[in-house]
């Protein structure tokens, strides 16, 4: 069990592949089916009958406290000093000045295994819209308190007569979800020129967790007495973890595959809600609340806790050297088997768009304007996995040429990376479509504003 846990944590920390959200793709109206996981009411907008996405993939990594420029400067200065180990403090100071109260490194990947949207027509109008999906997720973040960096850089005297928590927190979750989404259009005639379309939607998701580890509720408090008379450390640690039994893979068969897909190490239910409003294909607005739900882990589920206090008043050289070493059993490690529940990170999104220029009608059902400006606001409710309390605001522009091309740019502020520039491009070659999106263009403007790298790629059939 311990070996598996260390391997699981190390893999996530070393690969650092994650996404907060793919904000660049949200400005691409031709990828609404792919974007609908952040608003279920987006389905059905860009196709007449059905659309089938082939393995859309989105990966990203980044942090909220240091830029690519800071890291490159530090590396350059370190290499110039060679073996002297004397590094110019300017790059270190730049990193330290950008520290937050909570410093995050976030990672993950979203792979959509199945994503099919289809419309039911009645009297040549869309009556109901449906979506069936299956996705795999790997999300993780590691948070470092500002005090930990200052303790190493400035020494404990900086925190004289203060108690500080210096323990990093880890959250990692790998899970699958199987979703069914339904949306319904309601049309209201306001006057002879204006019609209002309202479309509510709800997605139900069956969640299957395969692995989880979290130290979110752990603390290591360090107190430095006035004049440095003593240092006191108190550990109040809690680690929860769960993973699929190794026996599932040692004798793999049809029954093992069924358990892996439907049960995993734990299961749960998620719900996504969204509603969109559109006025004559020109002005639209929407609001959604997604990733509401939790997974109860049961397989190999453990809660490990430890409480320990230690006061250091200097080493007594008259004692044996063994007295200086903290023995393992002094940590009072307690491991309890039992089910526990974890959230998947709820988020609120509000958006609006305005179309202008020449109006195009493609195949008598895709009405749009060549130019569109769009605005998105995203708010998480906790610093957890791919959610953050730091709100994100993004504004973008896109140009659309029938169903052939959709290209645009966007700028965002807030969130974990503070600021980002992104772009998207979509190509339609008959029913075959493919597209790219990234939020990683800030480096082209200034390497000191680049705090993450990401990429989305998708292909689809649209009829």
């Amino acid at each position: 069990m311990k070996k598996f846990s260390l391997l699981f944590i190390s893999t996530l920390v070393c690969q650092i592949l994650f996404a907060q959200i793919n904000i660049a793709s949200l400005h691409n109206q031709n990828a609404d089916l792919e974007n609908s996981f952040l608003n279920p009411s987006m389905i059905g907008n860009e196709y007449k009958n059905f659309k089938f996405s082939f393995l859309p993939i989105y990966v990203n990594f980044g942090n909220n406290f240091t830029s690519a420029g800071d890291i490159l400067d530090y590396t350059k200065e370190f290499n110039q000093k060679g073996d002297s180990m004397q590094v110019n403090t300017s790059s270190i100071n730049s990193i330290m000045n950008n520290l937050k109260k909570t410093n995050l490194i976030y990672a993950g990947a979203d792979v959509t295994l199945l994503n099919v949207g289809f419309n039911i027509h009645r009297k040549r109008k869309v009556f109901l819209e449906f979506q069936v999906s299956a996705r795999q997720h790997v999300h993780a973040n590691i948070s470092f308190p500002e005090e930990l960096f200052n303790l190493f850089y400035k020494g404990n005297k900086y925190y004289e007569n203060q108690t500080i928590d210096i323990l990093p927190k880890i959250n990692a979750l790998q899970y699958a979800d199987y979703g069914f989404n339904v949306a319904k259009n309601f049309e209201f005639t306001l006057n002879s020129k204006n019609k209002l379309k309202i479309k509510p939607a709800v997605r139900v998701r069956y969640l299957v967790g395969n692995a989880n580890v979290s130290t979110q509720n752990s603390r290591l408090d360090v107190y430095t007495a006035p004049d440095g008379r003593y240092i006191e450390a108190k550990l109040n640690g809690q680690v929860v973890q769960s993973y699929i039994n190794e026996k599932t893979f040692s004798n793999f068969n049809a029954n093992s595959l069924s358990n892996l897909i439907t049960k995993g190490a734990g299961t749960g239910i998620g719900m996504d809600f969204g509603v969109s409003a559109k006025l004559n294909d020109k002005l639209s607005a929407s609001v959604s609340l997604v990733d509401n739900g939790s997974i109860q882990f049961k397989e190999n589920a453990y809660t490990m806790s430890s409480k320990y206090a230690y006061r250091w008043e200097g080493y007594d050289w008259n004692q044996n050297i063994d007295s200086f070493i903290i023995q393992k059993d002094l940590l009072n490690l307690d491991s309890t088997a039992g089910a526990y529940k974890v959230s998947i990170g709820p988020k609120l999104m509000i958006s609006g768009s305005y179309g202008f220029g020449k109006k195009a009608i493609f195949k008598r059902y895709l009405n749009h304007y060549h130019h569109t400006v769009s605005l998105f606001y995203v708010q998480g409710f906790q610093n957890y996995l791919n959610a953050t309390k730091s709100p994100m605001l993004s504004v973008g522009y896109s140009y659309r040429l029938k169903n052939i091309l959709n290209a645009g740019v966007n700028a965002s502020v807030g969130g974990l990376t503070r600021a980002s520039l992104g772009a998207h491009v979509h190509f339609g070659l008959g029913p075959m479509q493919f597209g790219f999106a990234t939020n990683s263009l800030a480096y082209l403007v200034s390497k000191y504003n680049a705090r993450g790298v990401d990429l989305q790629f998708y292909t689809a059939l649209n009829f």
Side-chain angles (χ1 to χ4, degrees):
M1 181 181 71
K2 294 180 179 179
K3 290 182 179 180
F4 186 92
S5 301
L6 290 174
L7 176 62
F8 179 67
I9 295 172
S10 300
T11 301
L12 287 171
V13 172
C14 293
Q15 290 187 355
I16 300 295
L17 294 172
F18 160 65
Q20 185 188 2
I21 65 166
N22 185 9
I23 197 73
S25 182
L26 288 170
H27 296 280
N28 177 7
Q29 299 82 12
N30 284 87
D32 277 352
L33 180 67
E34 290 77 15
N35 298 332
S36 66
F37 295 113
L38 286 168
N39 186 340
S41 67
M42 286 183 170
I43 64 171
N45 291 340
E46 77 276 27
Y47 52 90
K48 180 179 181 181
N49 297 311
F50 76 89
K51 182 178 181 180
F52 177 48
S53 291
F54 298 99
L55 292 176
I57 296 174
Y58 178 55
V59 294
N60 160 300
F61 69 86
N63 72 93
N64 71 334
F65 61 94
T66 187
S67 67
D70 293 329
I71 296 174
L72 291 173
D73 287 348
Y74 176 84
T75 303
K76 182 179 179 180
E77 292 173 1
F78 187 85
N79 291 335
Q80 288 176 345
K81 296 296 181 179
D83 297 330
S84 66
M85 299 299 290
Q86 296 179 359
V87 181
N88 192 315
T89 59
S90 61
S91 60
I92 297 295
N93 288 335
S94 178
I95 294 174
M96 296 298 295
N97 290 335
N98 286 325
L99 288 177
K100 311 299 178 191
K101 185 64 179 177
T102 300
N103 303 278
L104 292 169
I105 298 175
Y106 53 95
D110 296 303
V111 180
T112 305
L113 305 176
L114 174 69
N115 189 15
V116 179
F118 56 95
N119 297 334
I120 304 298
H121 295 262
R122 180 194 291 182
K123 297 180 180 179
R124 296 185 178 182
K125 290 186 177 182
V126 176
F127 176 63
L128 287 173
E129 301 170 5
F130 296 95
Q131 179 189 27
V132 178
S133 61
R135 297 193 297 163
Q136 286 282 344
H137 312 266
V138 180
H139 290 172
N141 68 15
I142 307 172
S143 63
F144 300 89
E146 180 184 10
E147 292 80 4
L148 177 62
F149 291 93
N150 286 332
L151 189 65
F152 281 106
Y153 188 59
K154 300 179 181 179
N156 63 305
K157 186 174 177 59
Y158 184 77
Y159 290 108
E160 183 179 3
N161 201 27
Q162 297 181 53
T163 298
I164 57 174
D165 175 24
I166 63 170
L167 191 67
K169 310 296 192 299
I170 297 173
N171 289 298
L173 177 64
Q174 194 277 316
Y175 74 100
D177 78 68
Y178 308 97
F180 180 77
N181 184 9
V182 59
K184 168 66 176 174
N185 272 297
F186 297 92
E187 188 172 294
F188 303 92
T189 301
L190 302 180
N191 51 50
S192 59
K193 294 183 179 180
N194 295 307
K195 290 184 178 181
L196 178 66
K197 296 179 181 178
I198 304 292
K199 182 167 66 173
V202 60
R203 177 188 291 109
V204 180
R205 301 161 64 186
Y206 179 66
L207 309 174
V208 179
N210 294 320
N212 171 250
V213 63
S214 174
T215 64
Q216 187 67 36
N217 296 322
S218 298
R219 291 182 62 91
L220 177 58
D221 293 321
V222 175
Y223 173 75
T224 300
D227 300 323
R229 292 192 300 271
Y230 65 87
I231 299 174
E232 188 173 69
K234 292 182 179 180
L235 173 66
N236 189 355
Q238 184 186 77
V239 180
V240 294
Q241 68 166 26
S242 178
Y243 58 92
I244 297 175
N245 196 315
E246 293 91 336
K247 294 181 180 179
T248 302
F249 302 98
S250 61
N251 187 22
F252 201 76
N253 52 40
N255 186 55
S256 301
L257 178 61
S258 176
N259 289 336
L260 181 64
I261 295 175
T262 61
K263 297 181 180 179
T267 59
I269 297 295
M271 300 283 287
D272 300 333
F273 306 95
V275 60
S276 300
K278 181 178 289 188
L279 183 62
N280 286 349
D281 301 314
K282 195 169 189 177
L283 182 64
S284 65
S286 69
V287 61
S288 63
L289 188 61
V290 298
D291 290 339
N292 308 285
S294 61
I295 301 172
Q296 185 172 35
F297 283 93
K298 300 178 181 179
E299 186 84 6
N300 292 324
Y302 295 90
T303 299
M304 291 172 287
S305 59
S306 177
K307 291 187 177 180
Y308 179 74
Y310 184 79
R311 177 178 289 194
W312 171 253
E313 297 179 350
Y315 180 65
D316 185 355
W317 291 97
N318 295 319
Q319 295 185 19
N320 189 286
I321 188 65
D322 292 342
S323 65
F324 177 70
I325 302 174
I326 299 176
Q327 301 296 325
K328 179 180 179 181
D329 56 357
L330 293 179
L331 293 176
N332 298 318
L333 185 64
D334 179 38
S335 180
T336 305
Y340 65 89
K341 186 179 292 186
V342 298
S343 167
I344 59 173
K347 299 174 238 4
L348 170 71
M349 186 175 77
I350 302 172
S351 67
S353 66
Y354 178 76
F356 61 97
K358 184 179 179 181
K359 186 175 181 179
I361 301 177
F362 179 62
K363 291 188 177 180
R364 294 183 296 178
Y365 66 91
L366 289 176
N367 302 331
H368 64 264
Y369 290 83
H370 284 311
H371 308 279
T372 302
V373 292
S374 47
L375 182 72
F376 290 90
Y377 173 86
V378 183
Q379 173 72 69
F381 299 101
Q382 57 185 140
N383 295 320
Y384 175 72
L385 299 175
N386 66 338
T388 173
K389 291 181 180 180
S390 179
M392 174 182 284
L393 182 66
S394 180
V395 60
Y397 163 81
S398 63
Y399 172 79
R400 301 174 69 181
L401 177 62
K402 294 187 177 181
N403 210 33
I404 301 172
L405 174 68
N406 186 320
V409 295
N410 70 87
S412 305
V413 294
L416 290 176
T417 53
R418 291 174 50 185
S420 65
L421 292 176
H424 71 266
V425 61
H426 166 94
F427 298 99
L429 306 174
M432 188 67 188
Q433 300 184 349
F434 62 95
F436 305 86
T438 181
N439 301 281
S440 310
L441 302 183
Y443 188 88
L444 301 178
V445 178
S446 170
K447 62 182 181 180
Y448 297 103
N449 289 323
R451 287 177 168 79
V453 177
D454 75 329
L455 178 66
Q456 180 209 35
F457 173 74
Y458 68 88
T459 59
L461 283 175
N462 186 336
F463 292 94

